[in-house]
């Protein structure tokens, strides 16, 4: 269909009126540029907002105890209770879909009182009792040493892993923290590692001012026994944590003797659901981008259709001559169709390239000026590019359809008579 | 056009044999162009039959008509009707393009016919760079390119001065000498005298159809 001769025919025809070809092509160029840019900006917004979720595994939920709101089996309402370590074992056992179940305990926290001492320096830091797998749920970079290990857990070792903020607060410049001791609430812990959380937007300071100690030593040192403050659960990729949530809650309620319909006894935050909601929002924004972009593109397409109609009108006589020389109506039609198709695709490609250049420029500026709140790395995927090309092909054909039909409507004898 | 139909031709009956050079004469409105258009399958007669090389031409749809035009007929127009953004060579090659002749062969054959009309050195010129006589000669080469059975010329000298007209007629006579059947519509007597047979039309009927002594155009050039 696209032989060399066809190409020549088409390029000759397009070249015959360069300026008009350019102006016509500009409409489509502009439309596709706006379409791609809108999608890239949507994506940038999405990237920026989801960065707020940090690196935390998104198929996760947090779960903690509150006060009961219903009396149950002789127990009053308003009762406080705690999860126990054996609940963790039960969850791991009953729910093979769960990848990680991390019990956690916590001391201090943001704007708490001073709780950590080293020599003459003191500081107020958040102290977490954790299991080794927690680092897989919330990825962090270990700068020196190591994270908490299972042998720490087993032998209740009093070791700790400290954030960069803690290092800054308790150590002089150039001092090596590994192997030194810090006193947390009066108990000495040896520093075995330092870390930083690489991708957390809002909580940078809080994350840096955190100390991790083994969960078991935490319970022993600070008198938490086998109580569990809260848990971080992550499911395997195949299972959505939100679908597991009701069963998990049910299991925990029955184990802690809580009324099955007591919704306020156990608190939870479903990261997957929150993430899904944000994702949904941006899917809609993406749709809006497609919609608006397609509408702008459509005016470009109408422009092409319009010009092709004029071209057909202008070339009525030429078309008559071609038909006298033996061109069948379909040959004429397909030539008009292909002219509009090529015009559309060419200008569309230039538009996509131009949009890519603008996106590149945006990223360059963003890299130069540092991160901007809620906006990062505007980009489009290859699938968007292919979708855009598909839209172009379809619209190029649509644009040529009416002009192609009008080209062969006139009888050749009448077409030849036109001056 | 519209609802007012006008009967231009009112009963025409004539045969043209192979190798004839016929001129169709008549004042404007006599129906000579309409006759030529019907013969050229650009227009269709309301009644009557038309047989070309033993093929009855009837019930034409546009696709078949295009195919017949391409195979059987070559057109020469008063205003040349060259495609102005194509070179002389490409113009001549156009009917072959629609025949689906491969590119290389097309260029060869087109070049052959351009050479025949004496324009080989101008093959890559655009029509705008050629004189009127040259343009008409390119158009004649184009009409010949598909090796048609009949050439139909509608006032081929109408836009040319006398000297160039004779040159073009000389070329047409030469082509006829090679055995090609040619019909020429004209209203100039001297041009008509250069054919072998003159058909005179008036108000849609043939009033005279006679063989003439052919005047060779070469004696004027």
């Amino acid at each position: 269909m696209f032989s060399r001769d066809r190409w020549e025919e088409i390029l000759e025809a397009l070249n015959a009126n360069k300026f008009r070809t350019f102006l016509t092509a500009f409409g489509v160029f502009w439309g596709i540029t706006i379409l791609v840019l809108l999608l890239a900006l949507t994506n940038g917004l999405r990237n920026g907002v989801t960065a707020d979720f940090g690196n935390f595994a998104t198929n996760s939920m947090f779960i903690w105890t509150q006060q009961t709101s219903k009396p149950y089996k002789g127990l009053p309402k308003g009762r406080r209770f705690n999860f126990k370590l054996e609940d963790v074992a039960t969850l791991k056992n009953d729910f093979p879909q769960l990848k990680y179940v991390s019990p956690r305990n916590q001391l201090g926290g943001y704007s708490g009182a001073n709780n950590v001492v080293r020599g003459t320096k003191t500081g107020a830091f958040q102290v977490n009792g954790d299991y080794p797998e927690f680092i897989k749920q919330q990825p962090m970079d270990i700068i020196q040493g190591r994270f908490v290990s299972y042998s720490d857990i087993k032998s209740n070792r009093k070791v700790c892993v400290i954030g960069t903020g803690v290092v800054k607060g308790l150590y002089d410049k150039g001092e090596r923290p590994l192997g030194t001791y810090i006193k947390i609430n009066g108990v000495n812990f040896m520093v075995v590692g330092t870390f930083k959380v690489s991708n957390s937007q809002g909580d940078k300071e809080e994350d840096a001012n955190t100390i991790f100690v083994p969960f078991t030593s935490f319970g022993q040192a600070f008198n938490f026994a086998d109580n569990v403050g809260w848990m971080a659960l992550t499911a395997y990729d195949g299972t959505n944590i939100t679908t597991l949530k009701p069963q998990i809650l049910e299991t925990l309620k029955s184990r802690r003797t809580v009324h099955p319909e007591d919704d306020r006894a156990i608190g939870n935050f479903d990261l997957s659901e929150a993430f899904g909601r944000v994702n949904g929002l941006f899917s809609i924004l993406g749709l809006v981008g497609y919609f608006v972009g397609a509408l702008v593109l459509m005016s470009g397409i109408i422009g092409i259709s319009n010009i092709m109609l004029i071209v057909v009108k202008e070339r009525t006589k030429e078309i008559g001559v071609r038909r006298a020389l033996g061109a069948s109506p379909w040959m004429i039609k397909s030539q008009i169709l292909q002219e509009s198709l090529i015009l559309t695709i060419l200008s569309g490609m230039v538009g996509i390239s131009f949009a890519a250049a603008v996106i590149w420029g945006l990223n360059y500026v963003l890299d130069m000026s540092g991160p901007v709140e809620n906006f990062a790395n505007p980009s489009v995927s290859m699938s968007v590019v292919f979708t855009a090309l598909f839209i172009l092909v379809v619209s190029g054909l649509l644009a040529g359809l009416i002009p192609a039909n009008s080209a062969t409507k006139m009888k050749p004898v009448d077409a030849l008579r036109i001056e | 056009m519209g609802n007012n139909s006008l009967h231009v031709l009112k009963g025409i009956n004539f045969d043209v044999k192979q190798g004839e050079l016929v001129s169709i004469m008549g004042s404007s409105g006599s129906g000579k162009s309409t006759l030529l258009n019907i013969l050229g399958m650009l227009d269709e007669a309301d009644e009557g039959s038309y047989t070309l090389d033993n093929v009855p031409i009837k019930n034409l749809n546009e696709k078949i008509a295009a195919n017949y035009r391409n195979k059987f007929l070559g057109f020469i127009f008063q205003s040349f009707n060259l495609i102005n953004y194509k070179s002389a060579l490409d113009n001549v090659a156009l009917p072959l393009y629609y025949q689906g002749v491969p590119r290389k062969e097309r260029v060869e054959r087109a070049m052959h016919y351009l050479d025949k009309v004496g324009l080989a050195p101008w093959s890559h010129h655009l029509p705008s760079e050629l004189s009127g006589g040259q343009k008409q000669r390119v158009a004649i080469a184009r009409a010949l390119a598909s090796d048609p059975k009949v050439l139909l010329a509608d006032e081929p000298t109408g836009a040319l001065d006398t000297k160039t007209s004779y040159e073009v007629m000389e070329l047409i006579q030469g082509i006829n000498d090679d055995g090609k059947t040619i019909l020429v519509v004209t209203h100039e007597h001297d041009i008509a005298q250069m054919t072998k047979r003159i058909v005179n039309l008036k108000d849609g009927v043939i009033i005279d159809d006679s063989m003439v002594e052919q005047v060779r155009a070469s004696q004027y050039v």
Side-chain angles (χ1 to χ4, degrees), chain A residues 3-6 8-9 12-13 16 315 317-318 320-329 331-332 335 339 408 411-414 416-417 419, chain B residues 1 37 41-44 62-63 66-67 69-70 73 75 77 79 81-87 90-91 94-95 97-99 101 103 106 142:
Chain A
S3 63
R4 184 176 158 202
D5 301 313
R6 261 293 157 78
E8 273 177 13
E9 285 271 304
E12 268 172 357
R315 281 162 56 188
K317 185 155 192 187
E318 181 197 318
V321 172
R322 282 171 181 273
R323 294 176 71 182
L325 295 179
S328 69
M331 285 170 174
I332 300 285
Q335 175 165 1
E339 268 176 43
T408 49
K411 273 164 57 178
V413 60
D414 296 323
L416 279 170
R417 237 178 249 139
E419 282 308 322
Chain B
M1 295 290 163
N37 284 335
M41 297 177 227
L42 293 170
D43 211 345
E44 244 185 308
E62 249 310 313
K63 197 178 160 196
N67 189 16
R69 283 198 291 267
N70 189 260
L73 303 169
F75 288 91
F77 302 97
S79 51
N81 282 346
L82 299 177
I83 291 170
N84 55 23
Y85 55 82
K86 282 177 172 294
S87 71
D90 285 344
N91 264 292
L94 201 57
Y97 170 63
Y98 288 127
Q99 270 181 5
V101 175
R103 184 182 175 78
R106 206 163 67 214
R142 180 175 67 181

